Amino acid sequence: DINKEQRRIQDKCAQLLKAKDAKESRLKNKDFIRNAPADIVEKERQGIEDISQTLGRLKKMQEELNGAR
């Protein structure tokens, strides 16, 4: 059912936005940047990029579902 799928996508988007905010917050913390190994910092940056791409795909799916109504 389309409504059920839209709710699932919205829930997933909310979950991803929360994770993205947490990663961005970590990267804004100067102590984290100073003390964390470079590979961990890069992993956080890559995680933000991955989340952004996933959010884009989910939003596109949501638009397609809205068009299917």
Side-chain angles (χ1 to χ4, degrees), residues 9 12 17 19 23 25 27 38 56 69:
I9 291 171
K12 184 66 175 174
L17 285 171
K23 289 180 180 296
S25 179
L27 290 176
R69 287 183 149 196

Side-chain angles (χ1 to χ4, degrees), residues 55-66:
L55 284 168
R57 286 192 300 271
L58 289 172
K59 287 180 182 185
K60 186 176 180 182
M61 287 172 59
Q62 201 166 31
E63 289 170 3
E64 290 172 359
L65 287 172
N66 285 338

Side-chain angles (χ1 to χ4, degrees), residues 9-68:
I9 291 171
Q10 287 173 345
D11 291 345
K12 184 66 175 174
C13 285
Q15 177 185 14
L16 288 171
L17 285 171
K18 188 174 181 180
K20 183 179 175 193
D21 287 345
K23 289 180 180 296
E24 288 172 340
S25 179
R26 254 182 248 128
L27 290 176
K28 288 179 185 175
N29 182 334
K30 291 182 186 345
D31 289 332
F32 175 78
I33 299 295
R34 188 177 331 113
N35 296 325
D39 62 321
I40 299 297
V41 174
E42 181 55 34
K43 187 176 178 181
E44 291 297 307
R45 288 187 176 121
Q46 185 60 48
I48 291 171
E49 180 63 30
D50 293 345
I51 290 170
S52 295
Q53 289 176 3
T54 302
L55 284 168
R57 286 192 300 271
L58 289 172
K59 287 180 182 185
K60 186 176 180 182
M61 287 172 59
Q62 201 166 31
E63 289 170 3
E64 290 172 359
L65 287 172
N66 285 338

